[in-house]
Amino acid sequence: MYDRIGLIKKEHSKHFGSSPEAITRGPGRVDLMGSHTDYNDGFVLPVAVNVDVMAGGRLRDDNKIGVYSANFKKSVEFSLDNIEFDTVNTWSNYVRGVIHFLKEAGVKLRGADMVIHGNVPIGSGLSSSAAIEMATGYLMQTLNGFEMSAPDLALIGQKAENKFVGVNTGIMDQFISRLGKKDHALFLDCRTLEYGYVPLDTSQVKIVVCDTMKRRGLVDSEYDLRRSQCEEGARLFAQWYPNVKALRDVTSEMYDEHKADLPEVVSKRVAHVVGENERVLRSRDVLQAGDFVEFGRLMNASHDSARDLYEVSCAELEAMVEVTRAAPGSLAGRMAGAGFGGCTVSLVKDETVEQFLEVVRVEYHKKTQLMPSLYVCTAEDGTGVVERL
Ligand code: ADP
Ligand code: MG
């Protein structure tokens, strides 16, 4: 492990001639269960993991924000009075968006300089975007000293991503990045934002994230298409059941009653979301009971449904799922995040993790000629301060 805090301090001094007053971290996340349920007002079960974006910063005397990305080796500066979309340094829009919506929420902000450094793989499904949003938001909160609840900061991050960056995502990523808890998964009701923690002792089983190295090419257009198909499904069900606002409100009995009345594609999408919501609820209960084997079965069922009914898998994800399910000590393999590439997530017995990694490396390469990146993850706390100077 190299010294990222030291790096942030060094870059801060180099680019801004000062040292940070505070360094925050926003973790990446992986969804153990809940595939495409979040924007259907449904349930999810993610964990915050041990990769993160760190943000170190210091207030300045004017109303400007200076940001240096130690990953991209680029800096930007903008005025708090006029926060515009940056078409050149697009990474800065996550920072700009969060600050814009903090201001819109009525928070008084002073200018600041900040250095950002992340080790969340970008665009792989671990949500580096939520990590940078939460690290930024919490840095602003720490430096300026304003009160804001954790769910509210998550909502600011989601707004930044939806309305400033322009990516249509649900609340899960920011919520878990902000509110994760060490050695626990988080159960979240994406409609009410009610949440609870479920123990997940990562000394017994490890969460292994396997990056297929296939970038998620189609994800934006296909994601939007799935969302509109779900909305259509919800609209149709609302004709038969006026209380249906989203697919969250459709039970499997209601689906069985009306599946023949739905267009074929919509029917598949609805079947996935309805089944997945029920699986998430069950998975919470079996995890609570410490039954990792049954939990693994539910993870596998989640993947199969996302592949067959929601149709968001791809050849590389299938190869990785096949390999990870068969590897030593594996309890499950399923796609993480939105699909179409990116990562899978497995639960692996702690004592066989090394063999698991070795087999996955060899077998996945054999199948695809790609060299995967593998991350052995632990469940970590959500966003917080790592150093206050
Ligand atoms: P994901 O969230 O799955 O990793 P996204 O496309 O949603 O992928 O978000 C990735 C984007 O977030 C990057 O392209 C970049 O703009 C921004 N980002 C993530 N990490 C950093 C970082 N360390 N420094 C600057 N920008 C970052
Ligand atoms: Mg993202």
Side-chain angles (χ1 to χ4, degrees):
M1 273 294 273
Y2 62 107
D3 177 15
R4 293 169 61 213
I5 292 175
L7 175 83
I8 285 173
K9 288 178 183 167
K10 198 179 92 202
E11 297 292 359
H12 208 282
S13 150
K14 193 163 135 196
H15 294 275
F16 303 116
S18 61
S19 56
E21 292 170 73
I23 301 176
T24 57
R25 68 176 275 281
R29 65 94 185 93
V30 66
D31 50 313
L32 295 179
M33 285 295 290
S35 179
H36 292 267
T37 45
D38 63 347
Y39 54 81
N40 288 300
D41 276 4
F43 308 115
V44 290
L45 192 83
V47 286
V49 294
N50 51 325
V51 286
D52 56 56
V53 171
M54 288 186 183
R58 167 173 290 276
L59 291 174
R60 37 193 272 185
D61 294 328
D62 59 13
N63 65 346
K64 297 225 167 72
I65 301 281
V67 195
Y68 177 74
S69 164
N71 297 95
F72 293 122
K73 302 192 171 35
K74 288 276 189 313
S75 50
V76 299
E77 191 179 87
F78 59 92
S79 163
L80 280 170
D81 300 329
N82 180 29
I83 306 179
E84 287 181 335
F85 188 85
D86 188 336
T87 53
V88 179
N89 287 294
T90 50
W91 57 268
S92 76
N93 291 318
Y94 296 88
V95 175
R96 290 168 191 262
V98 167
I99 293 176
H100 173 80
F101 284 109
L102 282 173
K103 272 186 57 197
E104 206 195 63
V107 170
K108 295 260 169 305
L109 292 176
R110 292 175 54 192
D113 287 320
M114 59 192 278
V115 172
I116 286 175
H117 183 264
N119 63 5
V120 187
I122 286 176
S124 292
L126 294 184
S127 205
S128 66
S129 57
I132 187 175
E133 288 154 9
M134 292 301 96
T136 300
Y138 204 63
L139 179 67
M140 290 300 125
Q141 201 174 341
T142 308
L143 294 178
N144 290 280
F146 59 88
E147 291 289 318
M148 180 169 281
S149 75
D152 281 346
L153 191 65
L155 286 164
I156 294 275
Q158 186 198 12
K159 245 191 206 173
E161 186 139 351
N162 293 172
K163 298 190 176 156
F164 199 92
V165 179
V167 182
N168 217 355
T169 52
I171 185 62
M172 172 172 77
D173 298 355
Q174 293 80 10
F175 204 93
I176 179 62
S177 179
R178 178 69 188 87
L179 281 108
K181 183 169 165 183
K182 189 165 180 56
D183 288 331
H184 288 77
L186 176 125
F187 171 81
L188 174 66
D189 178 335
C190 296
R191 168 174 282 166
T192 62
L193 299 190
E194 282 171 326
Y195 64 96
Y197 296 104
V198 191
L200 172 54
D201 179 358
T202 42
S203 69
Q204 276 190 58
V205 289
K206 289 287 182 292
I207 301 158
V208 184
V209 173
C210 304
D211 192 338
T212 61
M213 306 312 276
K214 162 87 165 79
R215 289 292 150 258
R216 299 168 307 174
L218 290 168
V219 70
D220 291 345
S221 57
E222 289 290 329
Y223 183 90
D224 289 342
L225 181 60
R226 294 299 178 287
R227 284 186 75 134
S228 61
Q229 290 163 341
C230 289
E231 281 159 20
E232 189 186 343
R235 258 197 315 276
L236 289 169
F237 271 94
Q239 300 174 358
W240 306 309
Y241 306 92
N243 289 335
V244 170
K245 303 267 181 298
L247 290 186
R248 142 72 174 278
D249 302 309
V250 179
T251 62
S252 44
E253 290 76 27
M254 288 157 69
Y255 172 72
D256 287 340
E257 181 76 28
H258 286 283
K259 62 184 168 201
D261 309 325
L262 298 167
E264 195 185 326
V265 173
V266 173
S267 176
K268 282 200 210 174
R269 307 304 185 239
V270 174
H272 167 73
V273 173
V274 170
E276 184 72 356
N277 272 325
E278 291 174 356
R279 274 187 294 273
V280 179
L281 289 170
R282 251 182 73 67
S283 76
R284 173 190 60 180
D285 297 342
V286 301
L287 191 61
Q288 189 77 49
D291 186 348
F292 289 123
V293 172
E294 181 58 20
F295 190 82
R297 278 194 207 111
L298 290 164
M299 284 175 72
N300 287 345
S302 162
H303 176 86
D304 296 350
S305 170
R307 175 193 58 215
D308 300 335
L309 297 172
Y310 218 64
E311 296 177 283
V312 292
S313 194
C314 65
E316 293 80 0
L317 281 171
E318 287 314 304
M320 189 64 91
V321 161
E322 199 183 326
V323 166
T324 54
R325 284 182 184 177
S330 173
L331 297 168
R334 72 181 278 277
M335 68 179 81
F340 304 108
C343 297
T344 68
V345 56
S346 284
L347 280 190
V348 182
K349 289 183 189 148
D350 181 62
E351 64 269 21
T352 49
V353 166
E354 287 310 318
Q355 292 130 278
F356 174 93
L357 297 175
E358 187 51 35
V359 168
V360 170
R361 237 177 243 122
V362 172
E363 296 299 320
Y364 181 72
H365 184 258
K366 258 194 223 159
K367 275 185 189 289
T368 61
Q369 312 308 312
L370 295 167
M371 206 26 103
S373 291
L374 308 177
Y375 302 85
V376 179
C377 295
T378 48
E380 295 297 328
D381 281 331
T383 303
V385 171
V386 285
E387 208 167 292
R388 187 92 172 99
L389 301 139

